[in-house]
Amino acid sequence: MVELTVKEILARASVERAYIMILQERDGMRKLPVIVGPFEAQALALAKKNVHPSRPITHDLFKNFAEACGYRLDYATIDKVAEGAFYSTLHFKDGEKMVKIDSRTSDAVAVAMRCGAPIYIEDELLNTLCIKEEWENAFSIPITLAGTETLREVLERAIKDENYELAQKLKQEIDSRMERHDDERHDENNDEIDF
């Protein structure tokens, strides 16, 4: 497992009111971009600057509740990404047993920062998802990290710029996501029901 830290929170120009949290491996240069909303970005920025508002925000409330129940956050993990959505787990201990709680990655990171707990990711997953190129606050990420709506926006731009090779890759990723959703809906409709 590789430990990550929050390097910075960047405003994202292409989508209104969206931000990018940049996680970086503690003892290395690989970086992982995660798209977050404005409220999540604010909570992360407060935690990064170690600012404690006069009244507890949601992540502080969650931390306080867990501690009041005898649980301490041991660590957080980033487990996978699917269709641009990250999946994470909070690992709590009460001294004897471990309790795992499914979480959005932005919340897992914010709670971990508030608790002073480490954030981990598998080395192979970080290699797959890390930023490939970076220049003047712009970077290249794997297509699988982007949300479907973002892919559609970039597809329109690629077609407009006559970058048909990129447009084809984007279209293939969008189509594969639509096929998976269709298969899931088909499977749901074919479930057997006992009366």
Side-chain angles (χ1 to χ4, degrees), residues 23-32 130-131 134:
L23 299 169
Q24 182 170 337
E25 62 182 322
R26 180 169 294 283
D27 298 318
M29 298 302 295
R30 291 178 294 178
K31 297 176 188 172
L32 176 67
C130 70
I131 296 170
E134 186 175 2

Side-chain angles (χ1 to χ4, degrees), residues 33-101:
V34 180
I35 298 172
V36 299
F39 299 114
E40 293 83 359
Q42 181 182 24
L44 290 159
L46 289 173
K48 183 167 174 46
K49 294 178 183 176
N50 203 23
V51 173
H52 295 275
S54 59
R55 303 293 302 141
I57 62 173
T58 305
H59 302 103
D60 295 315
L61 178 66
F62 188 80
K63 171 188 178 270
N64 295 343
F65 178 78
E67 289 174 353
C69 293
Y71 286 91
R72 174 184 62 81
L73 182 63
D74 200 32
Y75 60 94
T77 56
I78 298 173
D79 305 315
K80 69 176 184 174
V81 64
E83 299 182 13
F86 282 84
Y87 293 80
S88 291
T89 305
L90 293 165
H91 301 259
F92 284 90
K93 271 189 177 174
D94 73 350
E96 294 179 16
K97 64 181 175 184
M98 177 73 77
V99 175
K100 297 178 183 180
I101 299 176

Side-chain angles (χ1 to χ4, degrees), residues 3-10 20-26 28-36 44 48 77-78 86 88 105-106 108-110 113 119-121 126 129-131 139:
E3 186 175 352
L4 299 172
T5 60
V6 176
K7 180 170 173 38
E8 58 189 326
I9 311 293
L10 302 171
I20 300 175
M21 168 178 60
I22 304 292
L23 299 169
Q24 182 170 337
E25 62 182 322
R26 180 169 294 283
M29 298 302 295
R30 291 178 294 178
K31 297 176 188 172
L32 176 67
V34 180
I35 298 172
V36 299
L44 290 159
K48 183 167 174 46
T77 56
I78 298 173
F86 282 84
S88 291
T105 296
S106 58
V109 170
M113 291 172 73
I119 304 151
Y120 295 113
I121 188 171
L126 180 58
L129 302 175
C130 70
I131 296 170
F139 46 82

